Every structure is written in structure tokens, then in C-alpha cells.
Amino acid sequence: MNSYQGFKEKIFKLTAIDLSLYKEKQMKRRIDSLIKRYGASSYSEFLVLLESDKAIYDTFINHLTINVSEFYRNIVQWDVLKEEILPLLLAGKSSIKVWSAACSTGEEPYTLVMNLSRYMPLQNIQILATDIDKEAISKASKGIYSQKSIENVPSDFLDAYFLKQGDNYSIDQSIKRCVTFKQMNLLRDQYPTDFDLIVCRNVMIYFTEDAKRDMYRKFNESLVKDGILFVGSSEQIISPRTFNFKVLRTFFYQKIQ
Ligand SMILES: C[S@@+](CC[C@H](N)C(=O)[O-])C[C@H]1O[C@@H](n2cnc3c(N)ncnc32)[C@H](O)[C@@H]1O
């Protein structure tokens, strides 16, 4: 088994991650560089390492999934969410159902909590946050962050909800309580339903066009009537009407049926 095709099939059996739904050039480049780092000379040799060494397996999953995140990533869009989208969603409601899909190490769902807390008490906020990567989710539940990742957090939130611990900051229990983390593969698992807002940012960029189209349909089904999908900065949907969405603001799509 020395072809990338064969490797993808074995990886699917081993990890349930279907690499053929990720953009091939980019993914292959990442995998090849990791294989080189471990000194393996072929895909089969690397597979033996993956199957026998848990640390290498974890590094591989981590390498595949690309966990980079930060609080208030692309801050202008979070302002749009706070000033325009949340008031629209909250009209006539005291709380909303929110899903952070591909939440990585938690910066995104915790940013959502802080934004929602401008409109309602923390006790009313409950966010579902999912990611394929168990390790990322475990980090998210711990809620410890570097100085770099909290750079965009507004100072009133920093003072209220972050405690400095050495070089890092730990996020307050009152914020953590608002988020439920679960492992979920967006390319395989059944999508949860009835959300007013779904945030899925900086992950679709790694997927093939077919995989993305399938996800747009599923996100549409997961939203309530007039619900909104918030995507990442380079993830605008081409012809959103095909998927029963209309553009509300750049990067925000509203379900039209
Ligand atoms: C670059 S991070 C984005 C994090 C956050 N949404 C943000 O914008 O800062 C991409 C995340 O997508 C997750 N991911 C990759 N493939 C996935 C899949 N098939 N299902 C669910 N999550 C996936 C990775 O584990 C990673 O945490």
C-alpha cells in the first residue's frame, strides 16, 4: 500500500476520517510533511507507526485537523453578530439555540457566550460546541489560553472572566458552564436540529466542493425558520439560494425555507 488512495482508505478504517472529502493537494502536503518528520519512507511504513504508537496517532489527528483558533477571530464579523444579527434573532425571544460546529479548542463558543451575555444573563445561555478532535475538545473544556489567543477580548470581559495563571489565562467557570462540548464529525455524523444560529467557521475551507454542498444542505435542515448560518472569512457560499439561504450580511446566511 504505497499510494495515497490506499492510505486514505486505511485511515478511514482507522479513524473514521474520510480524507477524500478534504481538498487533496493541501491535505496530502500536510501528511507527507508529517511522514517525513517521523522518518517513514512510505505510507505503509507510516501506517504501522500510527497503529502502534498512540502519541504518533494523536499527533497525526491533530496535524490533520488544524486547530488554530482565537477569541473574536476576525473581530469585525463578531461586531456584526453583536450589533445586527443577535438583535434580529432575539426579537420576541428571551434566549436562542446556538451551535458552534468545529469549535476547536473553545475560543469560538466562549466568544459566543460573551456576545450573548450582552443581551441576557449567563444562566439563560446554552451553546452546543462540537469538533472531530477529542484532544481539542478536552482543551476547550479546560479553558486555559495563551496571551495571544485572548488579544481581542474586550477589556470588561477580560477583567470579569479571565484569571491570569503564570503565562496563561483561565476562563471563568460561569462562562464554561454555558457550553456543552461534544465530539462530532461534520462529514459523517447526524446533525443536531432546531438551531437559531449555527457558527461554522474556518473548517469548510479544507473540504471538497461536494462535501461543502452537502454541509450547506444539512445546516439548512438544522436551522429553525429564519435561522442564521455564520461562516468564516474565506467561506462565502456561492449561489446560496440553491441551498435555500439568502445573504443577510457578508458571511451571514438566513434560511429562507
Ligand atoms: C481552523 S479550526 C477552526 C476553529 C474555529 N471554528 C475558528 O474559526 O476559530 C478547524 C477545526 O475543524 C475541525 N475539523 C476538521 N475536520 C472536521 C470534521 N470532519 N468534523 C468536525 N470538525 C472538523 C478541526 O478539528 C479544527 O478544530
Side-chain angles (χ1 to χ4, degrees):
M1 193 268 310
N2 260 327
S3 71
Y4 186 60
Q5 181 57 35
F7 180 72
K8 286 194 293 189
E9 287 163 18
K10 295 270 187 196
I11 289 300
F12 184 54
K13 283 197 189 122
L14 192 66
T15 67
I17 297 177
D18 187 353
L19 290 175
S20 62
L21 297 173
Y22 289 73
K23 282 181 193 153
E24 176 138 340
K25 220 166 121 193
Q26 200 178 8
M27 192 48 90
K28 191 169 174 300
R29 196 174 343 109
R30 285 185 74 76
I31 291 171
D32 288 350
S33 79
L34 193 70
I35 290 182
K36 215 163 141 197
R37 204 194 302 165
Y38 281 108
S41 58
S42 64
Y43 289 119
S44 350
E45 211 179 298
F46 185 58
L47 209 81
V48 173
L49 288 179
L50 281 181
E51 282 167 333
S52 57
D53 188 324
K54 170 87 171 67
I56 297 181
Y57 177 88
D58 288 344
T59 308
F60 174 69
I61 299 289
N62 222 268
H63 190 74
L64 281 192
T65 51
I66 316 165
N67 296 135
V68 258
S69 192
E70 63 188 41
F71 285 86
Y72 290 83
R73 186 174 190 174
N74 309 111
I75 194 157
V76 176
Q77 290 151 39
W78 288 99
D79 284 341
V80 174
L81 179 86
K82 181 175 64 148
E83 308 293 339
E84 299 179 35
I85 306 296
L86 290 182
L88 190 74
L89 288 173
L90 281 164
K93 285 185 183 174
S94 58
S95 91
I96 52 171
K97 206 173 155 191
V98 182
W99 174 22
S100 162
C103 64
S104 186
T105 37
E107 294 86 336
E108 181 178 280
Y110 293 140
T111 300
L112 276 162
V113 173
M114 290 189 267
N115 271 285
L116 281 163
S117 76
R118 299 275 189 210
Y119 296 95
M120 64 185 76
L122 288 177
Q123 302 87 273
N124 288 12
I125 302 174
Q126 197 38 252
I127 290 170
L128 172 68
T130 63
D131 199 280
I132 197 172
D133 185 354
K134 264 198 209 146
E135 227 176 282
I137 288 177
S138 148
K139 267 194 181 169
S141 318
K142 290 194 183 104
I144 313 248
Y145 296 100
S146 67
Q147 167 78 45
K148 171 110 193 47
S149 82
I150 60 160
E151 251 162 26
N152 287 331
V153 176
S155 59
D156 54 337
F157 285 138
L158 256 190
D159 294 343
Y161 299 122
F162 289 82
L163 185 69
K164 194 158 182 359
Q165 289 185 324
D167 289 341
N168 294 323
Y169 292 78
S170 70
I171 195 161
D172 196 74
Q173 197 58 31
S174 59
I175 299 279
K176 284 206 268 185
R177 258 199 304 268
C178 300
V179 183
T180 304
F181 290 100
K182 279 198 181 136
Q183 189 188 21
M184 176 184 166
N185 182 347
L186 287 166
L187 298 173
R188 187 201 57 179
D189 297 334
Q190 189 164 1
Y191 282 27
T193 53
D194 294 329
F195 292 96
D196 299 282
L197 174 66
I198 298 174
V199 180
C200 184
R201 306 178 73 219
N202 307 303
V203 66
M204 287 192 272
I205 192 168
Y206 302 117
F207 298 151
T208 63
E209 291 307 312
D210 276 355
K212 280 193 271 192
R213 278 193 286 271
D214 198 37
M215 287 175 75
Y216 300 148
R217 283 190 201 97
K218 289 184 181 160
F219 280 140
N220 187 279
E221 283 169 19
S222 287
L223 286 166
V224 296
K225 183 173 172 290
D226 298 330
I228 291 171
L229 172 67
F230 175 19
V231 301
S233 293
S234 30
E235 297 176 322
Q236 276 134 301
I237 303 178
I238 301 159
S239 61
R241 290 207 172 248
T242 318
F243 308 98
N244 294 320
F245 282 113
K246 72 171 181 194
V247 183
L248 209 55
R249 290 282 263 120
T250 320
F251 313 117
F252 293 91
Y253 299 90
Q254 186 167 41
K255 174 172 175 154
I256 47 179
Q257 53 173 281

